[in-house]
Amino acid sequence: QITLKESGPTLVKPTQTLTLTCTFSGFSLSTPGVGVGWIRQPPGKALEWLALLYWDDAKRFSPSLKSRLTITKATSKNQVVLTMTYMDPVDTATYYCTHSVIGAQTFYDYWGQGTLVTVSS
Amino acid sequence: SYELTQPPSVSVSPGQTARITCSGDALPKKYAYWYQQKSGQAPVLVIYEDRKRPSGIPERFSGSSSGTMATLTISGAQVEDEADYHCYSTDSSGDRDVFGTGTKVTVL
């Protein structure tokens, strides 16, 4: 049974760096063809793909946010950390951590419950 | 940048068929995926690789794709199918993952 859960601050100030942790179970990020992705959704708006970490430590980022994002495996092998620098009120959103199937085409089949991050002074 | 376009809303009476479209230039070469998102909840995958249904998804959900348009069909829509539906795919290079603009389905 695959589960994922996001954790991190619910409120950050403009210009601060956001750090979110995804804690997962039911799969190994060392298994070929597996990844962990991050996707966000501003209130009332569409989903937006942010980043993907592959089983072999390769990474992909949204071109529009690439300069602000990092994604890494945490010390614990069952955690992935996303950081986003220079947070702005437009970054207010629910951030989701996902299990990814990486093959001929990547997709996201299991999602965490999401965590709402508000950017405000 | 690559975009997937969906109608903002679709309304259907219970028991009738709802069709939600997703338009994108790379869809002739890339699979479409569909997610259902009920209010206050995380998205759930209902269709993958254009037409496959994950375990546990009712048979009334089906998918198809032709040319630059993918379609999610809900045959015999139920009140519990009221939700936002998002299509997903990748651009032609495979480097950028993209979600559609989202469609709110109302069943009444």
Side-chain angles (χ1 to χ4, degrees), chain A residues 21-96:
Chain A
T21 300
C22 174
T23 302
F24 59 86
S25 64
F27 68 94
S28 171
L29 194 44
S30 300
T31 302
V34 169
V36 171
W38 286 91
I39 293 156
R40 71 179 179 179
Q41 185 176 36
K45 296 189 176 182
L47 297 165
E48 180 183 16
W49 172 71
L50 300 178
L52 174 62
L53 178 64
Y54 290 63
W55 75 95
D56 60 0
D57 213 37
K59 300 159 189 180
R60 278 198 293 120
F61 298 97
S62 166
S64 61
L65 294 167
K66 186 174 184 177
S67 64
R68 298 172 54 203
L69 293 172
T70 59
I71 188 169
T72 58
K73 290 179 189 175
T75 303
S76 161
K77 291 187 178 181
N78 286 346
Q79 291 187 323
V80 170
V81 177
L82 178 79
T83 61
M84 181 180 291
T85 59
Y86 301 106
M87 293 292 285
D88 182 273
V90 300
D91 297 313
T92 294
T94 296
Y95 287 75
Y96 294 99

Side-chain angles (χ1 to χ4, degrees), chain A residues 39 41 45-52 54 60-64 96 100 104-114, chain B residues 29-33 35 37 40-45 48-49 84 86 88-90 94-102:
Chain A
I39 293 156
Q41 185 176 36
K45 296 189 176 182
L47 297 165
E48 180 183 16
W49 172 71
L50 300 178
L52 174 62
Y54 290 63
R60 278 198 293 120
F61 298 97
S62 166
S64 61
Y96 294 99
S100 173
Q105 192 168 335
T106 299
F107 68 101
Y108 305 93
D109 54 353
Y110 293 91
W111 296 55
Q113 64 188 24
Chain B
K29 296 183 178 180
K30 297 294 184 182
Y31 288 125
Y33 301 76
Y35 295 89
Q37 185 179 28
Q41 298 182 21
V44 172
L45 181 68
Y48 68 101
E49 294 180 358
D84 292 327
H86 309 272
Y88 160 84
S89 189
T90 55
D95 288 337
R96 182 170 186 168
D97 300 349
V98 179
F99 287 90
T101 48

